Amino acid sequence: MLIRLNQAQPYALSLFRFVVGLLFAFHGAATLFGVLGGNQAEAGAWPGWYAALIQLVCGSLVALGLGTRAAAFLASGSMAYAYFKVHQPEAFLPIQNGGEASAMFCWAFLLLVFTGPGAVALDRFFGSRGTTATTEDPARREQAPAVPV
């Protein structure tokens, strides 16, 4: 059973990346354009408009798996900023200050910085520099992970 789960891991990671990126992009589009039930931010207003731009661009890149690690790093940082500057001063815990989404997006994107895009991503299609698909030893891919799951 663990062997099958380990074999599916890169595909599950791709699905996770796609869903998180798409939700983040939708959040940005809602704020930038006032669609999807969102309130449109005034163009150039700090920090809301810029945060929404980062959400739309980085969320789209992450969803497509294009420049995933860099886009996820920027997205994670923007959500850390949102949490500590906007939400955390209101109360200590995310459940108390309304910062659950910021905290979850921050950690989800940080995870993607370290794991990469998964098996199905445009990074792999274009042979992006430094991805494990092009640089990893094929014999190593066949081995079980070093840490038992």
Side-chain angles (χ1 to χ4, degrees):
M1 171 96 163
L2 287 178
I3 293 171
R4 284 227 166 139
L5 290 174
N6 287 339
Q7 289 172 342
Q9 183 179 3
Y11 301 100
L13 181 59
S14 292
L15 182 60
F16 173 79
R17 173 194 43 80
F18 177 75
V19 170
V20 169
L22 194 62
L23 291 172
F24 202 58
F26 284 166
H27 193 74
T31 306
L32 278 178
F33 309 117
V35 296
L36 305 170
N39 294 324
Q40 187 171 4
E42 183 180 329
W46 178 260
W49 188 84
Y50 292 96
L53 185 62
I54 289 171
Q55 291 164 4
L56 180 62
V57 172
C58 290
S60 298
L61 289 172
V62 167
L64 294 171
L66 189 59
T68 303
R69 290 177 191 250
F73 183 76
L74 182 59
S76 179
S78 74
M79 288 296 96
Y81 177 88
Y83 182 77
F84 287 111
K85 285 299 214 176
V86 177
H87 298 287
Q88 201 274 331
E90 299 296 319
F92 181 68
L93 297 174
I95 193 76
Q96 297 170 321
N97 63 30
E100 298 99 333
S102 295
M104 289 295 293
F105 275 127
C106 179
W107 286 105
F109 285 121
L110 189 62
L111 178 65
L112 290 171
V113 169
F114 288 96
T115 61
V120 183
L122 287 181
D123 279 344
R124 305 249 187 242
F125 177 73
F126 290 123
S128 179
R129 61 248 153 239
T131 60
T132 56
T134 57
T135 61
E136 187 177 90
D137 179 20
R140 187 167 181 250
R141 268 186 266 144
E142 303 298 324
Q143 296 174 350
V147 178
V149 183

